[in-house]
Amino acid sequence: MYSELSPSQDRWFRFRMDWKRRRYRARAIAKARELSCVKRARWGREAILLFCTIRNERDRIDWFLKHYRDLGVDHFLFVDNGSDDGTLDTLLAQPDASVWNTPASYRASRFGLDWLNWLMLRHARGHWCVVADADELLIYPHWQTRPLRALTDWLDAQGQPILPAMMLELYPKGPLHTAHVPPGTDPLTALQWFDPGNYTIARKPLLDCLLIQGGPRARAFFADQPNRAPTLTKLPLVKWDMHNTWVNSTHSILPRHLNAVYARGAGERISGALLHTKFLPQIVDRAPMEKARAEHFGNAPVFDAYYDAVAQSPDLWCAQSARFTGWEQLEELGLISRGGWA
Amino acid sequence: MNTATPSLGVVMLCHTALDRAAQVARFWLKAGCAVALHIDSAVPQAQVTALQAELGAHPLLRMAPRLRCDWGSWNIVAASQSGAELLLREFDSIGHVLLCSGSCLPLRPAADLVTHLNANEGTDFIESVAVDHADWITGGLSRERFTLYFPFSWRKQRWLFDRAVDLQRRFHISREIPRPLEPHMGSQWWCLSRATLDAILTHPKRKRFERYFKGCWIPDESYFQTLVRLHGRRIESHSLTLVKFDRNGRPNLFYDDHLQLLRRSDCYLARKIWPQADKLYQFFLTDQARKMPPVPPEPAKIDRYFELAERQRTEGRAGLYMQSRFPPDDSGQAVTAGPYSVFSGFDQLFRNFDYWLGQVTGNRAHGHLYAPERANFHGGAEVWHGAISNSAALRDYNPRMFLTNLIWATRGERQCFSITARDHVPPDLMWFMAKDSNAQISLVSGCFLLPLFRGEYKPDDVLAHVAWLQKREQHMLSVLQSRWVRADVRVWTLAEFLNAPESNLQSVAAKIAPDASIASQGLPNMQSLDGLEDFLRALRNKGLPPVLLRDFEGRTGVR
């Protein structure tokens, strides 16, 4: 699907990206003053941390905390971006969460990345970290029987500091607003369906990362401009080093070599999935607001049609949608792999 | 068993997860076995004290002198020796000594093991393979482990280690193996009889042997394994401890979800257990295992499970492109997941060719998947398996992955589709299919003219359009006739094909379904070619290069 770069070009790209990394780190340090600490708790040296930027996720937060606590996350670090629906109070009530607050622009902080880069530079060094949004639930091979600690121990033994987990977008059968999920319950009871095999992958040589696109949003909303379809590559679990920097959401990271999480020769490496529970019924009402806020995309007007389509409460289900049954199914479909972690 | 007269002694080498080690030690003590605990000297004293406090003073428990046991170092052997000596000295009744680590877990009640050992008095259970025949060694060194010098650590000074080995090979440096030793290797976890251990530990040349083995690489896998051949009377060359190694030579960890697998093991212990696998420890260290109905041992099942995982890691699933498997073009792997058939020209020559093909071969044949308007899936479906959309834009965004996704999503069902010069088949996709040994490509050249001839559509500038189509078909042909082709390619000109359409179709269909017979379905309905000569003559007279008309020679008589 691609050819390897020549050594000189590889060196040149590495050099360029190294300076990009420095620039982004400087930027993150400069943005540190936008954050004010609301609550700071303590965590141990070996703790698995979770970093999350959040805004108005009252309905999702309880299940989010439960999911990651069950996986074995020891401490949560939240950046609350001006929630006004009580999310902040919920966060402050958690014994295992530290909370920072900022009223500044999400978009101007590169979609929250500058804040996360700063917090991780400050607090995450040497820790295994999960970085996920409130609507993303991480799963990986054997996740029900082996906690995150087992996975990170194994990754440490393999010398692999990062776990890829592509976003798997879940949707209900029927118009979006008809799915009913009481707050604090498992969103997967209503969002049971996903696209099993229409994902396209391209390798981006500059960052040496994979660009995965496709899924229901590409199929339903971006069928005429597929290049605009959301990126599904994610690297949500990483052993943080002081030199690391997020580039573009958690789709790609610097230094450059960390992005090479895929087997280049034969074989498969380990990967998981981020179950994306974006399409809960609330999205239909939120779409016009998000369209007006224009905080989520760099070139926001291009995505107006997308928000309009979501506001119409479309039915994303199609005859070839698959019902989610577990990680074994995803592995069988070739979406994730145990990569030798038997 | 009487606690005063243990018949089994257990030497445990521990360096991490001491709480688990203590749990296992208690399991052995409770069953009346003597235990010698060796704790790595790198473990902080506070932890050791805590462990001793937890275990308390037990008449059958002994603490062996502590040594620093690095991976593959001589001290592992020394620790095993001192532990075994301690047990043999203190308990006269011991018949066997078992060596295990702190992360080994007994898979069966201790009484079963004791009974088994009592029934095999004097037998040594140790994997001991003549080094010249051991094919499972990873790392490249087999006999050289015994004949070279290893002044550098393999783990910490890899570069120096490799250079030292290279140098010695180059200058044919070789240590002498003390007679009468015959190098043997095997799993480092054993269970030896008192007589054999006594013989090894009191041998007059013990000092000489030790000096020799201290210079070998990974002596813990060879010291006892070699010496047992000198003294052992009955050797059962099969370790009682189950260890599964991955390709890097590290033992695979066992987790809670391996419980059912481990129950089917025929071994008495398993290594290595993830320290937090509560369910495993809970199940095997209490009498829970007894309460469950016993399962017949199926060690092959465990082997298969780990072999499959290892193969997935090293070879992967052919034709799969995903986030953690993305081989480059020249990886030498199969690039698609299964065989598929591509037709060009047939549907322009025959009416309802895809329907006919489906009837003959029993497959669902697609139309033109790369048509400019949309992907024409079988039956006009809007999405196909894998939720692949028929949108032309989505398909053209990554035409290759459109194909590989389709083949992957329909594993087990052969995909058949048509292409033509007019379709959006970019050159790299054409090359991709031509170099793919899973592809069967059948092409009748010149057929792209037929829709024009029948007037199915009328381009503004016929001549330019025909020239464009011809150029594209020429490119397809040049790819299909290049020397890099690995696909199964058949190319006919229209005239050649029409000489024997039935046998040509039969040969194509037979490759899709070997027992397909076109006799039962009859030939597909051929479209009329009457008047083609006039059409071609008109084109030529308008100024079309005559090279194109070559394909029709013979059939139409155009000159």
Side-chain angles (χ1 to χ4, degrees):
Chain A
M1 289 273 171
Y2 62 93
S3 309
E4 295 288 357
L5 293 176
S6 70
S8 59
Q9 194 161 34
D10 197 60
R11 268 200 304 279
W12 168 235
F13 283 174
R14 208 163 58 217
F15 176 79
R16 274 176 62 189
M17 289 302 104
D18 207 39
W19 281 99
K20 184 174 201 144
R21 178 179 69 79
R22 283 159 214 227
R23 205 169 68 238
Y24 279 160
R25 272 210 315 171
R27 193 182 153 124
I29 294 167
K31 290 269 181 174
R33 61 194 164 81
E34 289 182 358
L35 294 173
S36 56
C37 185
V38 191
K39 180 191 165 201
R40 172 82 158 79
R42 304 189 68 80
W43 55 84
R45 186 182 295 197
E46 295 281 305
I48 296 179
L49 307 177
L50 184 143
F51 291 81
C52 174
T53 309
I54 197 166
R55 178 191 162 83
N56 290 350
E57 296 286 4
R58 189 185 51 197
D59 298 332
R60 286 198 178 93
I61 187 65
D62 289 329
W63 188 263
F64 176 83
L65 290 166
K66 173 179 161 34
H67 177 83
Y68 285 104
R69 275 188 196 129
D70 289 351
L71 283 188
V73 167
D74 297 303
H75 198 84
F76 296 83
L77 293 90
F78 287 103
V79 177
D80 181 84
N81 187 204
S83 296
D84 52 13
D85 68 343
T87 303
L88 183 58
D89 298 329
T90 312
L91 296 182
L92 291 176
Q94 308 303 323
D96 53 354
S98 299
V99 184
W100 283 259
N101 189 8
T102 177
S105 162
Y106 180 70
R107 187 173 154 193
S109 88
R110 297 196 306 119
F111 315 106
L113 279 194
D114 289 336
W115 302 328
L116 285 188
N117 273 336
W118 163 249
L119 283 185
M120 294 184 79
L121 178 67
R122 174 78 182 75
H123 298 293
R125 188 173 55 179
H127 288 275
W128 278 97
C129 304
V130 181
V131 183
D133 290 343
D135 56 1
E136 296 170 347
L137 304 174
L138 174 67
I139 65 168
Y140 48 83
H142 312 287
W143 67 280
Q144 279 125 329
T145 48
R146 306 183 194 176
L148 268 176
R149 177 70 65 198
L151 175 62
T152 56
D153 282 353
W154 186 79
L155 289 172
D156 271 331
Q158 301 294 312
Q160 182 174 338
I162 199 157
L163 176 85
M166 70 177 276
M167 272 217 279
L168 191 70
E169 307 202 272
L170 298 170
Y171 48 84
K173 186 173 181 178
L176 294 182
H177 72 274
T178 56
H180 179 64
V181 181
T185 59
D186 186 358
L188 267 59
T189 53
L191 309 180
Q192 297 186 334
W193 301 86
F194 66 97
D195 281 11
N198 57 6
Y199 302 93
T200 61
I201 308 178
R203 177 172 172 262
K204 295 283 157 193
L206 189 58
L207 279 163
D208 199 5
C209 66
L210 297 184
L211 172 64
I212 308 177
Q213 288 172 300
R217 280 199 276 178
R219 178 164 57 79
F221 306 129
F222 297 94
D224 48 350
Q225 41 178 2
N227 55 326
R228 299 278 184 202
T231 306
L232 303 178
T233 323
K234 282 272 182 177
L235 306 167
L237 179 66
V238 52
K239 183 165 196 176
W240 198 255
D241 183 274
M242 64 180 289
H243 301 292
N244 293 5
T245 314
W246 294 113
V247 182
N248 174 12
S249 178
T250 50
H251 305 316
S252 48
I253 192 171
L254 285 172
R256 187 165 163 260
H257 66 87
L258 290 180
N259 290 311
V261 286
Y262 50 96
R264 283 160 185 269
E268 288 170 28
R269 287 170 72 177
I270 190 170
S271 53
L274 264 189
L275 304 180
H276 199 203
T277 61
K278 191 181 185 65
F279 293 111
L280 287 180
Q282 300 89 315
I283 191 177
V284 176
D285 299 329
R286 276 177 79 156
M289 286 192 285
E290 295 298 344
K291 181 183 169 187
R293 270 183 80 222
E295 281 278 306
H296 285 278
F297 297 101
N299 184 5
V302 173
F303 295 90
D304 284 354
Y306 159 66
Y307 284 122
D308 291 341
V310 173
Q312 300 295 317
S313 186
D315 183 2
L316 293 174
W317 188 86
C318 72
Q320 300 294 344
S321 297
R323 187 196 284 268
F324 178 76
T325 60
W327 69 267
E328 293 93 342
Q329 174 200 25
L330 298 187
E331 189 182 39
E332 172 66 27
L333 288 169
L335 294 171
I336 70 173
S337 174
R338 70 182 78 189
W341 195 35
Chain B
M1 193 168 18
N2 193 336
T3 47
T5 56
S7 70
L8 171 66
V10 181
V11 177
M12 289 179 66
L13 307 180
C14 318
H15 63 112
T16 51
L18 294 189
D19 50 332
R20 289 302 186 192
Q23 231 178 321
V24 176
R26 234 172 321 177
F27 169 87
W28 294 118
L29 293 172
K30 219 165 125 190
C33 303
V35 173
L37 268 186
H38 175 272
I39 298 168
D40 195 303
S41 63
V43 176
Q45 185 58 42
Q47 287 184 29
V48 182
T49 321
L51 171 79
Q52 279 169 325
E54 197 186 328
L55 281 174
H58 193 284
L60 294 177
L61 177 67
R62 298 290 181 274
M63 302 302 277
R66 294 173 60 189
L67 296 169
R68 174 79 189 100
C69 294
D70 272 323
W71 178 88
S73 73
W74 166 257
N75 274 353
I76 298 180
V77 181
S80 333
Q81 282 179 330
S82 65
E85 268 175 331
L86 184 68
L87 288 178
L88 292 179
R89 193 172 61 235
E90 306 241 336
F91 303 98
D92 291 334
S93 56
I94 283 181
H96 276 93
V97 172
L98 172 78
L99 178 70
C100 68
S101 82
S103 49
C104 288
L105 179 66
L107 297 182
R108 301 200 211 171
D112 285 11
L113 176 59
V114 172
T115 317
H116 179 67
L117 293 177
N118 287 345
N120 293 283
E121 213 187 326
T123 307
D124 300 310
F125 297 89
I126 179 167
E127 188 185 31
S128 164
V129 182
V131 68
D132 298 322
H133 308 298
D135 55 351
W136 37 260
I137 298 166
T138 52
L141 295 179
S142 55
R143 196 176 177 85
E144 285 170 325
R145 292 172 181 226
F146 296 92
T147 57
L148 300 185
Y149 295 89
F150 298 98
F152 301 108
S153 157
W154 185 75
R155 283 250 163 129
K156 292 174 193 151
Q157 301 159 302
R158 182 76 61 90
W159 188 86
L160 287 171
F161 180 94
D162 289 341
R163 294 298 79 73
V165 168
D166 288 346
L167 270 178
Q168 294 176 68
R169 282 179 181 166
R170 184 153 164 205
F171 294 106
H172 302 290
I173 293 173
S174 171
R175 301 167 66 205
E176 196 186 342
I177 301 173
R179 265 180 293 235
L181 294 189
E182 209 34 69
H184 278 70
M185 294 178 41
S187 163
Q188 68 183 103
W189 311 110
W190 42 250
C191 182
L192 296 181
S193 67
R194 172 180 275 270
T196 309
L197 270 175
D198 266 339
I200 292 176
L201 296 173
T202 57
H203 195 273
K205 283 175 85 176
R206 176 177 164 183
K207 281 269 173 288
R208 165 76 184 101
F209 292 158
E210 281 184 1
R211 211 163 51 241
Y212 166 72
F213 275 104
K214 273 179 194 171
C216 290
W217 191 45
I218 323 187
D220 48 321
E221 287 183 357
S222 56
Y223 178 78
F224 288 102
Q225 289 72 5
T226 303
L227 289 178
V228 81
R229 291 284 166 191
L230 214 57
H231 308 293
R233 283 171 298 159
R234 278 195 305 278
I235 295 173
E236 194 73 40
S237 181
H238 174 70
S239 177
L240 297 178
T241 305
L242 170 76
V243 193
K244 299 304 289 177
F245 286 101
D246 66 8
R247 74 170 161 179
N248 298 331
R250 289 169 187 274
N252 273 309
L253 287 173
F254 291 106
Y255 300 91
D256 283 345
D257 44 291
H258 291 130
L259 176 63
Q260 295 308 325
L261 272 185
L262 289 178
R263 286 183 68 203
R264 289 183 165 74
S265 168
D266 60 345
C267 293
Y268 286 87
L269 298 104
R271 173 180 158 81
K272 179 177 184 178
I273 312 293
W274 187 56
Q276 292 170 49
D278 294 332
K279 234 165 105 187
L280 289 187
Y281 279 96
Q282 171 74 19
F283 183 86
F284 287 111
L285 292 187
T286 61
D287 55 354
Q288 211 169 339
R290 269 171 201 268
K291 288 181 197 151
M292 304 269 282
V295 285
E298 288 178 85
K301 203 168 175 176
I302 306 178
D303 294 342
R304 201 161 54 238
Y305 179 84
F306 284 97
E307 263 164 34
L308 279 178
E310 198 54 28
R311 195 175 314 152
Q312 183 172 338
R313 172 207 188 112
T314 53
E315 289 168 36
R317 292 168 276 179
L320 172 63
Y321 297 88
M322 47 107 63
Q323 52 178 337
S324 53
R325 170 185 165 82
F326 201 63
D329 288 338
D330 51 358
S331 72
Q333 295 260 301
V335 292
T336 47
Y340 58 98
S341 303
V342 186
F343 296 91
S344 181
F346 289 75
D347 63 321
Q348 286 142 343
L349 198 54
F350 301 105
R351 204 167 281 133
N352 287 335
F353 175 74
D354 47 348
Y355 174 78
W356 175 87
L357 186 68
Q359 293 293 311
V360 169
T361 62
N363 285 316
R364 290 181 292 180
H366 302 288
H368 287 259
L369 283 186
Y370 287 91
E373 307 79 29
R374 76 188 71 80
N376 291 303
F377 290 121
H378 172 80
E382 285 188 10
V383 284
W384 202 250
H385 289 261
I388 298 171
S389 162
N390 69 347
S391 148
L394 279 176
R395 176 200 65 201
D396 293 342
Y397 185 54
N398 197 333
R400 267 210 255 182
M401 276 216 73
F402 176 83
L403 179 66
T404 54
N405 277 342
L406 178 74
I407 310 275
W408 174 260
T410 54
R411 277 163 291 160
E413 185 189 14
R414 191 182 183 106
Q415 300 298 300
C416 303
F417 60 93
S418 297
I419 57 172
T420 179
R422 184 173 157 264
D423 289 351
H424 286 185
V425 179
D428 67 327
L429 177 64
M430 203 61 224
W431 275 113
F432 180 80
M433 293 194 289
K435 288 199 222 167
D436 179 7
S437 53
N438 280 324
Q440 179 208 1
I441 307 176
S442 315
L443 181 141
V444 182
S445 66
C447 283
F448 65 86
L449 270 180
L450 300 180
L452 282 172
F453 155 64
R454 288 193 293 269
E456 284 171 15
Y457 66 101
K458 292 206 184 304
D460 296 337
D461 183 348
V462 177
L463 219 53
H465 187 67
V466 170
W468 177 72
L469 289 177
Q470 194 210 355
K471 202 170 142 196
R472 292 180 62 108
E473 190 179 74
Q474 279 304 317
H475 179 264
M476 276 164 67
L477 284 171
S478 69
V479 170
L480 293 181
Q481 290 165 344
S482 79
R483 61 199 165 89
W484 288 283
V485 168
R486 295 183 62 203
D488 174 9
V489 175
R490 274 300 294 273
V491 176
W492 297 270
T493 66
L494 182 59
E496 281 167 2
F497 186 81
L498 291 179
N499 277 337
E502 194 161 349
S503 67
N504 289 338
L505 277 175
Q506 174 70 47
S507 69
V508 168
K511 287 198 176 134
I512 301 174
D515 50 350
S517 163
I518 63 172
S520 59
Q521 291 293 329
L523 271 184
N525 192 352
M526 203 194 302
Q527 310 236 37
S528 164
L529 296 178
D530 295 341
L532 184 59
E533 293 87 345
D534 296 336
F535 176 71
L536 291 172
R537 191 173 300 123
L539 280 182
R540 187 178 57 183
N541 292 343
K542 276 187 190 171
L544 198 73
V547 58
L548 168 71
L549 309 176
R550 211 176 36 197
D551 289 350
F552 303 94
E553 280 170 17
R555 154 73 192 165
T556 60
V558 175
R559 287 276 160 217

